[in-house]
Amino acid sequence: MLVKFLRYCTALSLIFLTMQLNVARGQVFPGDADNNGQVNHLDVLNVGYAWGTTGPARLETGGQPATQAIPVTWEEFFPQGLNYAFADADGNGVVNFLDLATISSNYGQVHDGGTEFVNFYEGVPDIHSQLILDKNEVPDYPTSGTYIEIPVLLGSEELPLESFQGIAFTIEYDSDYIADIEFTFDESSWINSGEGSFDFIGPEDEIGSKEIAISRKGNYPVDGSGKIGTVSLIVIDDLGTLLASPTDSSNVIINIKEIKAVNGDFWTVPIASDSVSVMVYGPDALPLSTNDPDLAGIRVYPNPAQDFIRIESPTVIKEVALVNSFGQLLRAFTIREERNFKVDLPEDFPGGLYCIQIYTDSGVLTKKIIINR
């Protein structure tokens, strides 16, 4: 009996020791999937790589912002040695969308237990694949209230991505001139082929930047290049308050920085960054004449006007915008396949100088008008 009792005690001691060793294997902070000491968009890359994997659930589950012990490590490890248990952000034993929710809820939280380092591998244009802001889509003369869409491309035919797994990056912009900025993932993108992918937009806690991540679902890398999404932004309505006069303009930079891209082996690969310059104009800084025969043939009358103005155009009118002398957008009209359009001037518009912006297939024409009241 004594021998059996001693064996029983020894077995219990071994179990207890094993549990202690397992606990010592790590502490996870819910949401910090890469264990670098901060919860942010970079963690999405680890979640995406381990997507769909299952393992032992933690004793504590949920996304409470406090470290939790890893009682039993998972069988799988990231190639750099980090256990998959860190990707299980909510601790329920499966890596899925709930872990993205935990990243969102704990976004920006920091802790002292991080052991990994972030590696941003800055690429060189024309040598490495590039994350590109398509400058060709920036309108020529944006002013107050102008809505701008800029396609975002990853790689090119000459420098495509090979074995692409995921990418995280930050879009930086001047919040003095840009009222809002958004990123929309293109679900028809080459990144979304096969097993599929997902995107993650970090909360806009810090004005002037937007943190974004896109990852494949599981370790199913793809090759390709081309459009992956669209950056949309709006120029502030009260642009005139920032410019010295209505005839001034200002150069606004949209910048992509801190890019981390990983391949199918989860190693960081170099990606070149990009930026785009958007010149925003006060209403009197806009060009008021053009050599384009279609735009030059547009008539705006009567001028001065009291209650309305008419627009006659040799080409189809797509949109008409009315701005005041401070560059503030007052009215915008979307038009379908019309060459003649009447703009009724609201009674509450005071007399003075205004600009009418006419958008056509041939370009944009801006004309000054005077309202007599």
Side-chain angles (χ1 to χ4, degrees):
M1 292 293 294
L2 179 60
V3 173
K4 289 184 178 180
F5 177 74
L6 290 174
R7 287 177 178 174
Y8 178 76
C9 291
T10 301
L12 286 178
S13 298
L14 289 173
I15 292 173
F16 181 71
L17 178 61
T18 301
M19 290 180 64
Q20 284 186 315
L21 290 173
N22 283 331
V23 170
R25 287 171 181 166
Q27 297 276 334
V28 60
F29 189 95
D32 187 14
D34 62 359
N35 199 35
N36 73 339
Q38 182 176 8
V39 181
N40 57 23
H41 61 309
L42 301 176
D43 299 301
V44 174
L45 300 180
N46 290 64
V47 171
Y49 191 82
W51 192 267
T53 308
T54 59
R58 294 197 293 272
L59 299 179
E60 301 173 85
T61 60
Q64 295 81 6
T67 55
Q68 300 174 3
I70 302 175
V72 181
T73 54
W74 290 28
E75 293 182 2
E76 297 85 356
F77 288 82
F78 291 96
Q80 292 74 23
L82 190 67
N83 191 256
Y84 269 28
F86 287 87
D88 181 21
D90 66 349
N92 70 345
V94 59
V95 181
N96 57 20
F97 278 109
L98 294 177
D99 300 303
L100 298 179
T102 300
I103 292 175
S104 292
S105 63
N106 289 343
Y107 206 87
Q109 294 280 345
V110 296
H111 65 101
D112 297 330
T115 60
E116 305 298 313
F117 297 96
V118 178
N119 181 20
F120 297 116
Y121 193 170
E122 179 69 25
V124 179
D126 299 325
I127 296 179
H128 300 115
S129 299
Q130 187 173 15
L131 189 58
I132 303 167
L133 293 168
D134 189 352
K135 303 168 181 61
N136 295 323
E137 297 299 319
V138 178
D140 292 331
Y141 304 109
T143 186
S144 291
T146 300
Y147 178 77
I148 302 172
E149 290 187 340
I150 305 174
V152 181
L153 294 79
L154 180 57
S156 62
E157 291 184 2
E158 296 77 16
L159 293 169
L161 273 292
E162 297 180 357
S163 186
F164 171 84
Q165 173 65 35
I167 188 168
F169 57 94
T170 299
I171 298 178
E172 188 177 54
Y173 62 97
D174 190 340
S175 59
D176 288 339
Y177 290 90
I178 304 301
D180 189 27
I181 192 167
E182 296 292 341
F183 176 82
T184 305
F185 177 57
D186 186 353
E187 294 187 357
S188 64
S189 166
W190 58 274
I191 291 179
N192 206 29
S193 62
E195 298 296 326
S197 60
F198 63 90
D199 66 301
F200 179 93
I201 312 297
E204 197 167 1
D205 294 332
E206 183 178 349
I207 297 176
S209 68
K210 182 81 73 173
E211 295 176 331
I212 299 158
I214 303 170
S215 176
R216 297 282 294 166
K217 291 181 179 178
N219 184 19
Y220 300 101
V222 291
D223 303 336
S225 65
K227 183 180 177 182
I228 62 171
T230 301
V231 171
S232 56
L233 56 96
I234 302 174
V235 181
I236 61 169
D237 286 336
D238 53 349
L239 179 60
T241 62
L242 294 178
L243 302 175
S245 75
T247 61
D248 283 348
S249 59
S250 182
N251 193 28
V252 180
I253 304 296
I254 312 298
N255 183 46
I256 294 179
K257 66 175 187 176
E258 296 178 348
I259 303 172
K260 181 177 181 179
V262 292
N263 62 16
D265 295 323
F266 210 67
W267 291 105
T268 303
V269 296
I271 298 291
S273 61
D274 195 18
S275 63
V276 62
S277 174
V278 179
M279 185 68 72
V280 293
Y281 294 84
D284 291 353
L286 295 169
L288 302 178
S289 62
T290 177
N291 294 323
D292 187 290
D294 287 334
L295 295 181
I298 295 176
R299 295 182 59 214
V300 178
Y301 65 94
N303 190 14
Q306 286 186 331
D307 301 317
F308 66 91
I309 56 173
R310 292 188 181 277
I311 302 171
E312 294 180 358
S313 171
T315 187
V316 171
I317 302 170
K318 297 192 297 184
E319 185 178 351
V320 172
L322 187 65
V323 299
N324 63 17
S325 59
F326 295 100
Q328 296 171 317
L329 178 67
L330 302 177
R331 292 287 188 277
F333 308 88
T334 300
I335 305 166
R336 295 183 179 179
E337 303 296 326
E338 293 185 23
R339 297 174 185 266
N340 300 304
F341 187 69
K342 178 184 177 183
V343 179
D344 292 317
L345 302 173
E347 294 181 358
D348 59 348
F349 278 20
L353 177 66
Y354 294 78
C355 282
I356 190 85
Q357 299 170 348
I358 305 163
Y359 295 77
T360 74
D361 290 331
S362 299
V364 182
L365 178 69
T366 300
K367 285 183 174 289
K368 293 179 181 178
I369 63 170
I370 296 175
I371 297 179
N372 281 340
R373 290 280 169 84

